[in-house]
Amino acid sequence: MSERRPTPASKNSGNGRTGRSTRRSVWRRALPPDQDTAELPEPGSAAAPSGEPPSVVEAALYRDGVRMSTPATLAETYRELREQPAGMAWIGLARPTSDELLSLAAEFDLHPLAVEDAMEAHQRPKLERYGETLFVVLRAARYLDAPEEVDFAELHVFVGPDFVITVRHGAAPDLSAVRHRMEDSPDLLKLGPEAVLYAILDAVVDGYAPVVEGVQNDIDEIETEVFRGDPEVSRRIYELSRETVEFQRATRPLVGMLHSLIAGFAKYDTDEELQRYLRDVADHVTHISERVDGFRQALTEILTVNATLVTQQQNAEMRALAEAGFEQNEEIKKISSWAAILFAPTLVGTIYGMNFREMPELHWVLGYPFAIILMAIVCTSLYFIFKRKDWL
């Protein structure tokens, strides 16, 4: 761990740790008015309420890059860290209770605003400094093959002079792998909390790579489905667009965060090799952020193409319906024309078939030929009229 200039509080303390007791009252005064300070857990007390399993995934103390002990509770961690002035505590929690976070805040003098963010979660990626403590919010991601979707999780990291606290709200990332990697590299781990922060950032950024490949594969499949005319493709484009937007919100702030962190590492004379590692992570984040931006643009273009294809398909269907209607109308015209032609002789035959006694044409010698000729003239006239109108 890089050498640090002592703070006023640490100058008055024997080993640099008892100074926290003088600052703890400041943290208590910053609590909301309705928070009963009498109920605040003392640093040495158990954090988890009775009847509930503790959310401490793993806590360990390190010295010169080597694990010295693995305390079972937060209280033991606090006590052993006080006994190891040159040690570093690495505490990992998953969905901790408010009592556990309050206990950690009281012991390590964490800022109330940062603690509140860690309790509530649903924060945007950010990097904030509170005195000697860095508070980092990250959005980890993993690609789920079965449902073909991206699962996002939130990770909060507190980094102090001699401690690292991670608070996970979700399944990703696998911090146990990060811990094992660091323990296998004691030369890197002995650089202190900054090295642990680098390893966590590196793990989160490395976790984006499978997600990028998964999203790319989904986009390729969607392109095929669009030109295949799959009716469900619009819904899938929309869902993937939402995931891409969330992915963009997770990666884009990291670019600025890492550049700020690199500048801070240079300002506080952090190990040069560690600065190189962090710059490498920043390059990876920039590359991933550019690819995610490209995904969003590609999905926008695919959605436009899909809308165009759907419109063309609808126009073709409307044209087919119009042609079918036109053909049906032509058939109706023909049927109506022949019905009208056949109606004329039917009308004449019906009139002369009534058999009334006082019908003058009944006893006329030329009545029958006249009726036949009349029917022929009417039918022929109607035929030529309909023919001229293109109904026949």
Side-chain angles (χ1 to χ4, degrees):
M1 182 175 174
S2 58
E3 183 179 355
R4 299 177 182 274
R5 293 187 295 272
T7 61
S10 61
K11 287 181 180 179
N12 298 328
S13 59
N15 54 18
R17 293 194 51 77
T18 56
R20 289 203 185 104
S21 61
T22 62
R23 296 195 300 266
R24 199 172 303 136
S25 60
V26 177
W27 191 91
R28 289 173 182 268
R29 287 198 298 270
L31 288 173
D34 57 348
Q35 174 71 47
D36 186 0
T37 57
E39 297 178 359
L40 184 66
E42 290 300 323
S45 63
S50 59
E52 294 185 8
S55 57
V56 179
V57 178
E58 187 172 6
L61 265 67
Y62 300 89
R63 185 172 183 177
D64 295 328
V66 179
R67 184 188 287 229
M68 303 301 295
S69 64
T70 306
T73 64
L74 290 178
E76 293 180 16
T77 305
Y78 304 156
R79 177 179 55 78
E80 294 185 19
L81 187 57
R82 293 193 191 99
E83 296 172 356
Q84 296 284 342
M88 178 190 72
W90 184 351
I91 304 172
L93 302 98
R95 296 185 179 90
T97 64
S98 59
D99 286 342
E100 286 171 333
L101 285 176
L102 292 176
S103 174
L104 289 165
E107 172 65 19
F108 295 107
D109 192 32
L110 305 180
H111 197 277
L113 294 178
V115 174
E116 182 181 357
D117 289 345
M119 286 181 182
E120 296 180 358
H122 304 294
Q123 303 295 318
R124 61 176 180 82
K126 61 182 178 179
L127 169 67
E128 295 180 348
R129 177 178 289 276
Y130 299 100
E132 289 187 323
T133 302
L134 282 176
F135 177 60
V136 182
V137 179
L138 303 172
R139 294 278 290 172
R142 60 175 181 162
Y143 187 80
L144 305 178
D145 292 323
E148 292 186 337
E149 61 183 25
V150 183
D151 177 46
F152 293 93
E154 199 164 322
L155 175 65
H156 301 252
V157 186
F158 296 89
V159 182
D162 53 0
F163 66 88
V164 176
I165 302 170
T166 59
V167 180
R168 282 194 297 118
H169 294 276
D174 183 10
L175 295 182
S176 62
V178 177
R179 191 185 291 268
H180 294 155
R181 171 195 169 192
M182 293 298 290
E183 290 179 352
D184 291 339
S185 306
D187 290 339
L188 180 61
L189 184 56
K190 72 179 181 180
L191 296 177
E194 294 94 341
V196 176
L197 177 60
Y198 148 73
I200 293 172
L201 288 168
D202 189 47
V204 171
V205 173
D206 285 347
Y208 291 151
V211 179
V212 169
E213 296 304 321
V215 173
Q216 180 65 67
N217 183 64
D218 288 345
I219 291 176
D220 294 339
E221 292 179 356
I222 284 175
E223 288 178 341
T224 303
E225 292 173 359
V226 164
F227 291 101
R228 211 182 266 168
D230 190 337
E232 297 293 330
V233 70
S234 297
R235 180 185 183 90
R236 190 175 181 190
I237 293 173
Y238 174 72
E239 291 174 349
L240 189 57
S241 297
R242 290 185 59 186
E243 291 180 353
T244 304
V245 169
E246 193 167 356
F247 198 11
Q248 196 174 42
R249 290 173 180 169
T251 57
R252 181 176 289 179
L254 277 181
V255 178
M257 288 169 53
L258 284 167
H259 285 297
S260 299
L261 197 58
I262 291 170
F265 276 20
K267 177 180 178 181
Y268 291 100
D269 297 326
T270 304
D271 183 82
E272 181 64 29
E273 190 68 15
L274 191 56
Q275 293 185 45
R276 293 193 189 99
Y277 289 153
L278 199 61
R279 284 194 291 269
D280 181 66
V281 176
D283 290 340
H284 289 170
V285 168
T286 301
H287 175 68
I288 289 172
S289 180
E290 290 173 352
R291 289 199 65 182
V292 175
D293 291 343
F295 290 160
R296 187 172 183 183
Q297 183 177 358
L299 286 169
T300 301
E301 293 173 354
I302 290 173
L303 189 61
T304 301
V305 171
N306 182 64
T308 302
L309 293 176
V310 169
T311 301
Q312 290 178 352
Q313 183 179 1
Q314 291 176 344
N315 290 339
E317 292 175 354
M318 292 296 294
R319 185 164 54 251
L321 289 174
E323 292 175 354
F326 177 78
E327 293 177 358
Q328 186 178 14
N329 189 42
E330 292 298 314
E331 295 296 328
I332 292 175
K333 286 180 180 179
K334 293 179 180 179
I335 295 172
S336 300
S337 299
W338 285 112
I341 292 173
L342 295 175
F343 175 75
T346 302
L347 177 63
V348 175
T350 302
I351 292 174
Y352 284 98
M354 291 188 292
N355 295 324
F356 288 110
R357 289 182 179 273
E358 301 301 329
M359 292 181 66
E361 293 85 358
L362 290 178
H363 302 285
W364 185 31
V365 176
L366 299 177
Y368 175 73
F370 174 78
I372 296 298
I373 294 171
L374 178 63
M375 288 188 286
I377 292 173
V378 173
C379 291
T380 303
S381 300
L382 289 174
Y383 176 81
F384 282 108
I385 291 172
F386 292 140
K387 192 71 174 177
R388 184 178 297 176
K389 292 177 177 286
D390 291 330
W391 281 32
L392 290 175

